Amino acid sequence: MASSLIHRRPLASAAASAFLRPARLVPQPPDLIKWVRREGGFVHQSIKIAFLEEDNPNGLGLGLVASENISKGSDLIILPHHIPLRFGESSALTHLAQHIPEELWAMKLGLRLLQERATKGSFWWPYISNLPETYSVPIFFPGEDIKNLQYAPLLQQVNKRCRFLLEFDKLVKGALENVKLDEHPFGGQEVDASALGWAMSAVSSRAFRLYGSKRPDGTRVSAPMLLPLIDMCNHSFSANAEIVQEKEASNENMLVKVIAGAQIKQNDPLELNYGCLNNDLFLLDYGFVIPSNPYDCIELKYDPALLDAASMAAGVSSPNFSSPTPWQQQILFQLNLDGENPDLKVRIGGSEVVEGRLLAALRVLLCNERAAVEEQDLETLKSTTAEAPLGISNEAAAVRTMIALCVIALQHFPTKIMEDEALLQQKVSATAELAARYRIQKKSVIIDAMRGLTKKVRDLSSKEPITSQ
């Protein structure tokens, strides 16, 4: 789906190509550092733009690198108020933005990005021309590689975004069909689903939510904005830089600054923490996955039939998952796992081995002693650090059921980790490689959870009282 926007080259042609050194919108774009300085911004003299090493997993391609040692606390980049690109007020764009769901907020700012991209002589053209021609997010994957992600919650999100782009494409075309040229937000240029996808991906992978304009009462409103040059910092959970905002000395406008949060050594990349996100969000919004991501998890549906099958596989007798007693059902309601609008999404992995709501439900439904349950508060029942609040036998049954759940979840993947790793040794497309790396990490989350749970079962077994025959 090639777009006809000016200042750009076709998007789809490179969508499935290698992403290690993605082409920029123009072959020789303006020097972004010089542009920021010329517009009154500050860039530390020891910062340069360079291609990162290929063993850096967190955002390959162009990034900011220290050409010399930089001491902790140093100002790295300062952007004055007029350089960040915000949504702004435009009647045509505001009308279109009303049709964008909140969860796809990046498309709203993406409309403004497309508007500036289509504007000849745009103030932001030096920045926009340095943007990648394409992004390694799944909406640009070939269909087979989308399928090869193999994880239903992510596939649903990818398909949802693709459907939105196709529907929004029709809406935009219909809304702008009879608009006069001088009122057209994109200068009369046609914007198709490919251009919309490029813009949404550019924003989701680069924008920061910071404080912007003031309300009448004086409080500042946070809003997503694109930060030229700053958005070339890559991600790290142990970032060496951080973003701060300060009021300009001469007025009420805000400066956006990046400062060194630690000493940065020569040739080290500048890194910001994009957030404590799981690999679903890193792949959907940024186009990469984090190996051994401590915040990664898998999502399961709380399903009594699934829990019955898991408990039977674990050798747990007489579970009440499909037929809870009224008092057990009341606790499920308190856990928001029952009732009119329950939240049935539960997680395994991440900062906790298992989500507290799921653990509490297992403990309660595997216990037939109402009095013992009522002696515990809900937070204790949800706690992964509470040591067998309903007894060792109950805890062991709950943990064995969780292990069986993990086995079932692992079986939903068509391939095994060894097969995925063997695929990486072959010459495959960048999207096929990224899909394989993603599913390896998802399966690793399950396996790591199983190891932790198996250790807990062993620990519980050593504490279980021995009964005479």
Side-chain angles (χ1 to χ4, degrees):
M1 298 180 290
S3 167
S4 55
L5 274 175
I6 59 175
H7 291 329
R8 63 174 300 176
R9 298 155 74 186
L11 293 177
S13 62
S17 65
F19 300 116
L20 298 182
R21 292 188 174 225
R24 288 182 277 182
L25 288 184
V26 298
Q28 294 180 320
D31 187 312
L32 199 54
I33 291 178
K34 288 182 179 179
W35 177 72
V36 169
R37 287 172 175 160
R38 189 170 64 245
E39 290 301 324
F42 168 81
V43 183
H44 194 285
Q45 62 181 6
S46 298
I47 291 176
K48 64 179 181 179
I49 298 174
F51 280 103
L52 301 180
E53 296 297 326
E54 294 186 5
D55 60 356
N56 184 330
N58 307 342
L60 297 174
L62 284 173
L64 301 182
V65 175
S67 58
E68 297 176 352
N69 292 345
I70 302 176
S71 60
K72 179 180 178 180
S74 300
D75 288 339
L76 302 176
I77 303 171
I78 303 177
L79 299 184
H81 180 75
H82 67 284
I83 290 185
L85 178 58
R86 305 168 177 84
F87 179 69
E89 293 300 327
S90 165
S91 57
L93 292 188
T94 300
H95 171 70
L96 293 175
Q98 291 172 351
H99 299 276
I100 300 171
E102 181 59 32
E103 64 188 281
L104 297 179
W105 57 269
M107 188 71 263
K108 181 177 177 181
L109 183 54
L111 290 174
R112 178 71 196 284
L113 178 62
L114 285 175
Q115 182 182 47
E116 293 299 328
R117 184 172 171 176
T119 300
K120 190 173 183 180
S122 166
F123 168 78
W124 284 279
W125 178 242
Y127 165 65
I128 294 171
S129 64
N130 274 277
L131 293 177
E133 186 183 32
T134 189
Y135 290 91
S136 56
V137 293
I139 60 169
F140 287 124
F141 282 20
E144 188 63 24
D145 288 335
I146 293 178
K147 180 181 175 183
N148 284 336
L149 293 168
Q150 298 182 359
Y151 180 60
L154 181 65
L155 291 173
Q156 291 169 4
Q157 289 299 317
V158 175
N159 291 332
K160 183 177 181 179
R161 293 188 181 198
C162 290
R163 285 196 302 272
F164 165 77
L165 288 170
L166 292 173
E167 292 167 2
F168 196 52
D169 173 18
K170 295 177 182 177
L171 187 148
V172 170
K173 284 183 170 65
L176 301 180
E177 187 175 8
N178 298 315
V179 174
K180 297 178 182 178
L181 182 61
D182 59 349
E183 298 176 358
H184 197 287
F186 308 114
Q189 302 298 315
E190 180 181 346
V191 174
D192 60 14
S194 181
L196 293 169
W198 175 86
M200 186 170 71
S201 301
V203 172
S204 71
S205 64
R206 306 179 82 89
F208 296 84
R209 184 173 288 275
L210 301 174
Y211 290 108
S213 59
K214 273 190 174 182
R215 289 195 179 105
D217 62 4
T219 58
R220 289 194 177 273
V221 181
S222 67
M225 54 187 78
L226 290 165
L227 306 179
L229 197 63
I230 290 177
D231 60 14
M232 297 186 76
C233 294
N234 277 271
H235 164 78
S236 173
F237 291 128
S238 303
N240 57 20
E242 56 185 298
I243 294 180
V244 297
Q245 286 183 274
E246 292 181 1
K247 193 165 64 173
E248 291 189 49
S250 57
N251 52 51
E252 290 295 314
N253 290 332
M254 300 292 284
L255 294 169
V256 181
K257 300 176 65 174
V258 176
I259 62 174
Q263 182 183 14
I264 303 174
K265 296 180 180 179
Q266 184 178 13
N267 297 323
D268 279 355
L270 272 58
E271 296 170 328
L272 297 167
N273 188 343
Y274 294 177
C276 300
L277 309 176
N278 63 32
N279 275 336
D280 296 24
L281 293 175
F282 276 125
L283 184 57
L284 273 171
D285 288 339
Y286 298 97
F288 59 81
V289 296
I290 304 290
S292 303
N293 181 351
Y295 305 100
D296 204 10
C297 60
I298 61 162
E299 183 182 289
L300 302 173
K301 181 182 178 183
Y302 181 84
D303 181 353
L306 176 63
L307 293 173
D308 277 337
S311 60
M312 289 178 63
V316 176
S317 59
S318 305
N320 293 340
F321 298 120
S322 294
S323 54
T325 62
W327 64 267
Q328 289 171 326
Q329 201 158 5
Q330 179 60 32
I331 295 176
L332 291 177
F333 177 79
Q334 294 175 35
L335 295 169
N336 200 21
L337 293 172
D338 196 12
E340 290 186 8
N341 297 298
D343 177 10
L344 299 180
K345 293 179 181 179
V346 291
R347 298 182 307 277
I348 290 177
S351 56
E352 299 177 331
V353 175
V354 61
E355 184 181 340
R357 294 190 309 138
L358 175 59
L359 178 57
L362 292 172
R363 284 169 169 166
V364 170
L365 293 173
L366 290 169
C367 181
N368 294 318
E369 300 176 20
R370 179 176 181 176
V373 173
E374 291 179 343
E375 286 178 3
Q376 307 292 335
D377 61 69
L378 199 61
E379 291 307 310
T380 300
L381 293 173
K382 289 163 60 178
S383 173
T384 56
T385 58
E387 190 170 338
L390 300 180
I392 292 175
S393 296
N394 171 273
E395 192 75 1
V399 174
R400 288 201 301 269
T401 301
M402 285 188 285
I403 293 172
L405 269 179
C406 289
V407 172
I408 292 171
L410 204 55
Q411 290 172 342
H412 276 84
F413 287 91
T415 59
K416 295 180 172 61
I417 283 186
M418 290 181 62
E419 295 172 312
D420 298 332
E421 290 174 340
L423 180 68
L424 294 179
Q425 304 304 314
Q426 304 172 22
K427 189 175 182 180
V428 296
S429 68
T431 52
E433 178 181 338
L434 193 49
R437 292 191 184 282
Y438 170 80
R439 59 182 187 260
I440 285 173
Q441 295 305 315
K442 280 296 169 189
K443 295 167 192 174
S444 297
V445 168
I446 301 173
I447 292 170
D448 288 344
M450 289 171 65
R451 286 176 180 150
L453 293 168
T454 301
K455 182 181 182 301
K456 187 164 186 177
V457 168
R458 286 199 299 267
D459 293 343
L460 290 167
S461 298
S462 67
K463 299 173 183 177
E464 206 161 10
I466 300 174
T467 58
S468 57
Q469 298 295 322

